[in-house]
Amino acid sequence: MKRKNWKQLMMLFTLTAAVGMVAAGCGNNNTASGSNAGNSANPDGAAGAEAVTVTLGLLPSIDAIPFIIAHEQGFDKEHNVNLDIQTFKSAKDRDVAFQAGKVDGISADLVAISIYNEAGLDVKITSTTTGEFDLLTGNDDIQDVKDLKGKTVILSKNTSTQYTVAMMLKQAGLTEADVTVSEVPQIPTRLELLKNQKADAAVLPEPFVTMGQTSGLRVLSSTHTAGVNPFVFAFPQTVIDAKPQAIRDMYAAYDAAVDYMKSHDQSEYIDLIIKEVGYPETLKDQITVPAYEPAVQVDVKEVEAAFAWARETGLLTKDIAPEDVISDVQFGK
């Protein structure tokens, strides 16, 4: 990636407060180390050859779990690929590693994809992932999304969290102008403000949703109930060109992990989820693991909707079609 393009991208992320999905913080944790994290120079492997390393930049959220289990259970090795998982505590740190070539693919979202490509970076969606944002409230006067009119909602502006709220409001017959948006990128801070009645509603991911519910907060809506899925996995086109078979092998391992979770009791892998996603140990009996499904390609309509919103907010000015950002490396056209 050209340095000029990266500077442009970082300016965009500064303006958009980055893609806020997890607690702010710096540094990363190599949770599932394989060989050299910067192994992007390895040629793509064939069956029977030495396993090719695919380095993944993940955030500690529920969409990371199948990848982590795929590595922990050895499904990656079974499919002739080594998943070198790098977990980052903030989207900004993940993106720094991404531009430096220290990770091959990243968990992202459709708003982030629009920002990458607006900056001239050829980043392609290779599949959806299983993620979730929930809209929570502690205000007893708010029983439905439509009751948010005139209320304060805290989120991270110009990100997938704001996009999610916009879609929820639209379904309730409201617009973003009907609520007061308060910019709070830090997820733990959002939860604390909501618990202390400093705001009427907030957008949160897991494990903060479960933590909020145990404190008496209620879920008004979620990306699942609203039918919104901005969560995707993506690779630069250069990596797709260099490691097409390894990426396909990665998805074979991912699907094997999904099958494993379907056929094993949650108690057999819940400790790993607590460790990697960050649930408090005290909530062990209250955690509900998502019903993961095999990887699929993103729905074009989802991309169109997210890009339309990005254009409305000024994040996307280029004429970029969904087909321009969707790869067929795993799911052929």
Side-chain angles (χ1 to χ4, degrees), residues 1-6 9 95 98-101 103-104 116 121-123 235-239:
M1 297 182 193
K2 295 181 179 179
R3 187 176 183 84
K4 179 180 178 182
N5 285 343
W6 179 246
L9 177 63
D95 290 326
F98 186 44
Q99 85 63 225
V103 296
D104 295 321
Y116 290 139
L121 304 179
D122 191 5
V123 179
F235 287 86
Q237 186 60 51
T238 52
V239 175

Side-chain angles (χ1 to χ4, degrees), residues 38-96:
N39 200 21
S40 57
N42 279 359
D44 200 31
E50 182 180 355
V52 174
T53 293
V54 177
T55 308
L56 309 181
L58 307 179
L59 299 172
S61 55
I62 60 174
D63 56 356
I65 294 303
F67 292 107
I68 293 170
I69 287 182
H71 182 80
E72 292 292 329
Q73 293 296 323
F75 299 134
D76 54 348
K77 299 298 190 299
E78 290 179 12
H79 291 89
N80 203 45
V81 64
N82 175 47
L83 299 185
D84 182 9
I85 298 174
Q86 306 288 322
T87 301
F88 298 88
K89 293 184 178 180
S90 75
K92 180 179 179 180
D93 292 334
R94 176 205 62 192
D95 290 326
V96 169

Side-chain angles (χ1 to χ4, degrees), residues 132-136 144-148 153 155 160-176 178-179 201-204 209 219-231 309:
E132 182 175 350
F133 289 143
D134 286 41
L135 182 62
L136 280 75
D144 194 89
V145 175
K146 61 181 176 57
D147 298 329
L148 289 174
V153 180
L155 45 74
S160 55
T161 56
Q162 186 178 2
Y163 167 65
T164 296
V165 169
M167 297 302 100
M168 292 175 178
L169 292 172
K170 183 178 180 180
Q171 292 174 13
L174 302 176
T175 68
E176 292 181 77
D178 290 317
V179 301
V203 181
L204 299 169
V209 173
V219 174
L220 292 173
S221 185
S222 71
T223 46
H224 288 173
T225 58
V228 179
N229 183 21
F231 309 102
W309 179 84

Side-chain angles (χ1 to χ4, degrees), residues 12 29 46 83 113 132 141 145 155 186 199 233 240 275 309:
L12 278 168
N29 175 36
L83 299 185
I113 296 298
E132 182 175 350
D141 293 334
V145 175
L155 45 74
Q186 298 82 8
F233 207 84
I240 294 172
K275 174 185 175 183
W309 179 84

